[in-house]
Amino acid sequence: MYSASFEYHRAASVDEAVKLLAQYGDGAKLIAGGHSLLPVMKLRFALPAHLIDIRRVPELAGIREENGALYIGAATTHAAVAASSLIHARVPMLAEAAGRIGDAQVRNMGTIGGSLAHADPAADLPAVMLALGTMLRAVNRRGARTIPIDEFFTGMFTSAIAPEEVLVEVRVPFPPPQTGAAYAKYADPASGYAVVGVAAMVTLGAGRTVERARVAMTGLAPFAARLTGVEEALTGTMATAEQIEAAAQRATEALDAGADGDAGYKANLATVYARRALTRAVERAK
Ligand SMILES: Cc1cc2nc3c(=O)[nH]c(=O)nc-3n(C[C@H](O)[C@H](O)[C@H](O)COP(=O)(O)OP(=O)(O)OC[C@H]3O[C@@H](n4cnc5c(N)ncnc54)[C@H](O)[C@@H]3O)c2cc1C
């Protein structure tokens, strides 16, 4: 099916994109890679009268390191994230997860900002960003604001980005020493989307006990969220195989009890992928 017709605008700057959003109001939508928005438009679930293309805005491009953090422009493609030597060196989990999104075409078009703003419940990057403790910078006509990732995903396909805002940059703090992180995903064989994906970041402290754990899951709930029960259960332990297994069991607390489908199968997926992510993260922290 074809989308309804629309007027196309190419923004040259974030400022221009923000002005166009304000000018066209509810009838306007940003487009970056188009790999989530265009399918929705073709199904006529979205009928924007104005599309504002931000893919070539220079302020939204690039990956840099500054003051103990990585800064990734919102229009950076998944392929660029997966190929970045800086990201591989500093936060390898992010490069690995980006490299497993969809197929080569999806990775060449889809962007980090588009993925986060779209907040698809089966997308990979939301869980990874939650585990990494990132901060997101958004700009609107009144100025800029920073949104902690823990406050970003608010519902199915719903994020804290307001309709008149542009997500500009993702700030990923460098993990502290003795930290390991891993993303374990069971991909839908057709699309590559996560049936389940668990991202874990584990920091070891004195005596090699777990000082801090951030763990998040995508795929099995209306939106990606931290697995706080898993984090609590692992923190303070030596992260032995038994302790990891006990912590992983608590991933089921995040499942939507009223959802359709096989509850036992989902509980098993959540536990198995939490265990895999935790085990790999702990190995990498040692
Ligand atoms: C066949 C297929 C397979 C896929 N497989 C996977 C997968 O395995 N894992 C996965 O995670 N994803 C997958 N995706 C989704 C893909 O990663 C999308 O590209 C991504 O989710 C959206 O990025 P985009 O740049 O294409 O966004 P767009 O489609 O351009 O935009 C999506 C939404 O975000 C808004 N938006 C975009 N950029 C910004 C911004 N900077 N500020 C504010 N709002 C913004 C748009 O207005 C729109 O509402 C798949 C997609 C397809 C088509």
Side-chain angles (χ1 to χ4, degrees):
M1 196 193 285
Y2 292 107
S3 72
S5 58
F6 54 84
E7 205 174 313
Y8 174 84
H9 310 262
R10 182 180 287 176
S13 65
V14 171
D15 194 39
E16 188 185 356
V18 166
K19 280 188 183 136
L20 287 166
L21 281 174
Q23 183 177 344
Y24 295 113
D26 285 349
K29 267 227 157 273
L30 298 174
I31 183 164
H35 267 49
S36 290
L37 182 58
L38 292 178
V40 174
M41 286 172 62
K42 287 183 174 184
L43 291 168
R44 308 231 169 179
F45 292 145
L47 301 163
H50 298 269
L51 276 189
I52 303 163
D53 188 347
I54 52 170
R55 193 175 171 77
R56 292 175 184 80
V57 171
E59 299 141 271
L60 300 181
I63 302 162
R64 67 182 203 285
E65 109 173 61
E66 205 178 293
N67 297 329
L70 281 178
Y71 291 79
I72 307 171
T76 306
T77 62
H78 306 316
V81 170
S84 162
S85 51
L86 201 50
I87 296 182
H88 273 281
R90 294 297 191 179
V91 274
M93 167 169 70
L94 175 54
E96 288 165 12
R100 294 193 60 201
I101 290 175
D103 55 24
Q105 180 183 336
V106 173
R107 293 192 292 275
N108 282 330
M109 291 302 292
T111 65
I112 190 167
S115 176
L116 296 175
H118 192 61
D120 191 310
D124 296 293
L125 297 184
V128 172
M129 294 294 160
L130 283 162
L132 290 171
T134 54
M135 302 289 279
L136 309 175
R137 194 160 70 84
V139 169
N140 59 38
R141 267 177 21 132
R142 292 171 301 283
R145 66 179 180 128
T146 302
I147 311 164
I149 192 74
D150 287 343
E151 295 167 17
F152 193 75
F153 301 107
T154 53
M156 190 179 272
F157 295 106
T158 314
S159 75
I161 286 286
E164 72 279 7
E165 272 183 323
V166 179
L167 175 59
V168 171
E169 196 167 60
V170 180
R171 176 183 180 275
V172 187
F174 294 164
Q178 291 214 79
T179 295
Y183 180 60
K185 166 183 179 178
Y186 175 50
D188 179 285
S191 68
Y193 274 107
V195 176
V196 62
V198 178
M201 183 167 82
V202 176
T203 303
L204 301 180
R208 303 223 147 201
T209 54
V210 175
E211 190 175 280
R212 195 176 78 132
R214 284 185 70 99
V215 188
M217 183 166 72
T218 191
L220 293 177
F223 55 98
R226 299 261 302 275
L227 298 177
T228 49
V230 175
E231 295 173 356
E232 277 165 27
L234 196 70
T235 304
T237 72
M238 296 293 290
T240 62
E242 294 72 27
Q243 287 164 333
I244 288 176
E245 182 60 35
Q249 293 289 337
R250 294 192 58 185
T252 57
E253 292 167 11
L255 298 180
D256 186 353
D260 293 343
D262 184 334
Y265 174 66
K266 287 183 175 176
N268 189 50
L269 277 183
T271 308
V272 167
Y273 282 81
R275 185 212 307 136
R276 289 182 187 175
L278 290 174
T279 303
R280 220 171 301 149
V282 168
E283 277 165 13
R284 289 174 170 179
K286 285 180 177 163

